[in-house]
Amino acid sequence: MLNAGVARVDITPKVGVAHAGWGAQTHQVSVGNDMPLHVTALVVAKDDVELAIVDVDIGIFTNQQDKDIRELISRESGISFGNIRLAYTHTHSGPITFGQWIKDGIDLANEWWNTIPAACAKAVVDAKASAQPARTGFGRGSCDININRRPARDNGELFTGRNWDGAVDHSVDVVSFDDADDNPIATIVNYAMHPTIMAHENQWVTPDFPGPMRSVVEHTVGGLCLFLQGASGNQGPVDGFTGDLRVYRKAGSKLGAEASRVRLDIEPRDREERLDQILVSGADLGIYSNVPTNESDDTVAVSNVPVDVPARDVISLADAEAAFVAGERELEELRASGASEEAIRRGVSKVMRANIQLSVARLSDANAKDGHIELTAQSMRIGETVLVSIPVEPFVELAQAVKERSGSANTVFSGFSNGHINYLATDIAFEEGGYEVGVSVFAPGSAELAIQASVDAIDEVL
């Protein structure tokens, strides 16, 4: 058997924290916390191989933040840097700490952020301390709360909404961890959907749908539940962009119900039926046992495969900074003049678009070298399951291609891990245009290289 342990740390912010950062919102700070935010860590080990998976309710970790936190986790836990996956749910209704038009509540946001690295390290250290002999299994279900989010207007121009004809993946991938007596320790759930149910009208801090999903699984199955965001670059909620808290709770509960069903059906070991006795009763009763016939796979392995992908030419850093400063000044003047809410909303939208382009310019400046950007595909084999990830917001077609080419039938694909270098789209999407392509720092041809690196990383642990 392998060893597995799990732990959780609460990272819920104080009320009044700088919040969300939607271009269409006019509020700046939160009015409350609808659900807590968490760091949940799983540590898995076998012989001399030890790995950690960390699930954090946060929008993103920049590459530098990811590096700093994983180095801290490594120092505190003794787990190798390359064997740590720092995953973020990508919630769009959490605190905002940098690079935004929001000015109020920033001190509280910075105070909150300063607790995150230590919380991640503590969760891993506590999970390692709780490790015990365990078995692992895999199951796959389906939930249709997501949809391709790239529809087109009549003139062909794309917007973010519901594209019923676009590529979509409803798969719910579930990895189980049970102790020696078959009691649940932990569950990993992987699903591809942008956490954009709660949007510009919402003033509450929420983990979006991963929060109620975890809650349902934990109450139904037991143990702790981790969420890994799938290839949701072009996947959004069917019901989204709302201020109605009931919507994200319902969606998360539906996903949690399906994940729980799959989890309860997972059996890590093969079993055969045995008739123990026929008990005399009003009608004779057959008493059966389902006897294990083997032990579950206890392989634990990790691989990291770097790949250089082509970078796209983007706006210069100087021009992006100038546009953002001008937008900030214009918004400040609107607020000071007592302008209407609609005028302020237009001002916010303008500065947010400038901020997005500034982020793109900064990403390119920090990551593009000689026309290329280095990505690392990380694979983790746990038993008969391989979890592979890349540090981008990948389109769903990438996950589908990786699963088709993988040598493991139980392949779980994630983005949103070990840093963030924005959207990685398909070559066809570059021809179509749209928001995700417009803010990408990657050039056409990048997707195939990332797919192959992911497959290579999988091959190395099989």
Side-chain angles (χ1 to χ4, degrees):
M1 299 174 68
L2 50 78
N3 288 312
V6 67
R8 173 170 287 166
V9 177
D10 193 306
I11 56 168
T12 307
K14 295 179 180 177
V15 176
V17 70
H19 177 250
W22 288 84
Q25 79 181 51
T26 55
H27 74 276
Q28 296 193 57
V29 301
S30 70
V31 297
N33 300 304
D34 188 62
M35 286 188 74
L37 305 185
H38 288 132
V39 174
T40 310
L42 173 73
V43 171
V44 181
K46 176 65 177 179
D47 299 328
D48 60 346
V49 180
E50 192 172 34
L51 62 84
I53 299 174
V54 190
D55 163 28
V56 188
D57 285 321
I58 197 169
I60 65 164
F61 287 115
T62 66
N63 288 351
Q64 187 61 51
Q65 289 169 342
D66 169 80
K67 179 177 181 291
D68 292 344
I69 292 174
R70 284 201 285 161
E71 286 179 345
L72 175 64
I73 292 172
S74 184
R75 290 195 301 270
E76 295 288 329
S77 68
I79 300 173
S80 172
F81 177 89
N83 288 17
I84 299 167
R85 177 170 302 173
L86 184 60
Y88 43 97
T89 60
H90 199 46
T91 177
H92 283 50
S93 50
I96 289 295
T97 57
F98 58 91
Q100 298 289 341
W101 55 272
I102 293 175
K103 306 302 179 186
D104 295 344
I106 289 294
D107 288 345
L108 283 182
N110 289 332
E111 178 184 319
W112 171 79
W113 165 254
N114 290 337
T115 69
I116 303 302
C120 293
K122 176 175 171 52
V124 173
V125 170
D126 290 352
K128 181 174 178 176
S130 74
Q132 58 183 305
R135 299 183 181 93
T136 182
F138 173 84
R140 178 168 287 153
S142 180
C143 185
D144 61 0
I145 59 173
N146 63 342
I147 191 171
N148 187 290
R149 69 176 203 164
R150 285 167 51 84
R153 297 179 172 90
D154 291 340
N155 64 2
E157 184 179 343
L158 299 183
F159 63 100
T160 305
R162 299 175 181 175
N163 177 11
W164 293 102
D165 297 322
V168 65
D169 186 355
H170 297 315
S171 297
V172 182
D173 289 349
V174 180
V175 187
S176 67
F177 296 86
D178 297 330
D179 68 17
D181 296 320
D182 298 326
N183 299 307
I185 297 172
T187 303
I188 296 175
V189 177
N190 172 272
Y191 190 70
M193 183 171 80
H194 250 78
T196 51
I197 297 176
M198 304 312 301
H200 54 285
E201 295 177 346
N202 168 54
Q203 298 185 46
W204 292 80
V205 166
T206 87
D208 212 279
F209 72 90
M213 183 280 295
R214 293 192 203 99
S215 180
V216 169
V217 172
E218 290 166 4
H219 282 89
T220 305
V221 175
L224 292 182
C225 179
L226 293 84
F227 175 72
L228 295 180
Q229 183 63 258
S232 63
N234 57 348
Q235 307 289 286
V238 174
D239 295 313
F241 308 139
T242 182
D244 187 344
L245 296 167
R246 296 171 297 180
V247 180
Y248 95 90
R249 297 173 193 155
K250 179 179 179 180
S253 296
K254 289 178 67 175
L255 179 60
E258 174 63 1
S260 296
R261 182 195 66 78
V262 174
R263 173 66 162 92
L264 292 169
D265 280 342
I266 294 174
E267 177 48 67
R269 295 178 289 179
D270 294 331
R271 294 177 183 265
E272 65 179 18
E273 179 185 288
R274 182 179 69 194
L275 176 60
D276 295 325
Q277 63 173 308
I278 299 175
L279 182 66
V280 176
S281 183
D284 293 343
L285 308 178
I287 308 300
Y288 295 87
S289 297
N290 295 314
V291 182
T293 59
N294 65 346
E295 190 50 86
S296 63
D297 190 321
D298 61 358
T299 306
V300 179
V302 181
S303 174
N304 290 275
V305 174
V307 60
D308 285 336
V309 302
R312 184 173 72 93
D313 290 334
V314 300
I315 186 173
S316 72
L317 187 56
D319 288 347
E321 288 174 339
F324 179 69
V325 169
E328 276 195 312
R329 186 182 304 114
E330 182 178 330
L331 178 60
E332 184 178 348
E333 291 171 355
L334 283 170
R335 291 190 184 281
S337 69
S340 68
E341 182 172 344
E342 181 56 34
I344 292 174
R345 191 185 306 279
R346 288 196 298 270
V348 169
S349 177
K350 181 177 180 179
V351 75
M352 272 297 298
R353 288 171 184 253
N355 181 66
I356 290 169
Q357 291 302 316
L358 178 56
S359 297
V360 170
R362 287 172 173 167
L363 279 169
S364 179
D365 186 67
N367 294 286
K369 309 296 180 187
D370 299 322
H372 291 85
I373 296 173
E374 183 179 273
L375 297 178
T376 297
Q378 182 191 63
S379 67
M380 293 179 162
R381 178 175 173 180
I382 306 175
E384 295 181 347
T385 303
V386 179
L387 301 98
V388 62
S389 69
I390 50 178
V392 297
E393 301 186 33
F395 274 33
V396 74
E397 290 90 341
L398 276 70
Q400 293 169 334
V402 170
K403 289 180 181 180
E404 288 172 0
R405 301 183 198 179
S406 172
S408 170
N410 304 338
T411 297
V412 179
F413 183 92
S414 301
F416 306 86
S417 302
N418 296 350
H420 182 267
I421 320 179
N422 79 11
Y423 291 93
L424 183 53
T426 62
D427 288 356
I428 292 175
F430 276 99
E431 298 177 9
E432 296 170 338
Y435 168 75
E436 297 87 355
V437 171
V439 301
S440 178
V441 295
F442 302 105
S446 297
E448 177 57 35
L449 293 169
I451 290 166
Q452 188 57 52
S454 298
V455 173
D456 291 344
I458 293 169
D459 288 343
E460 289 190 1
V461 298
L462 295 180

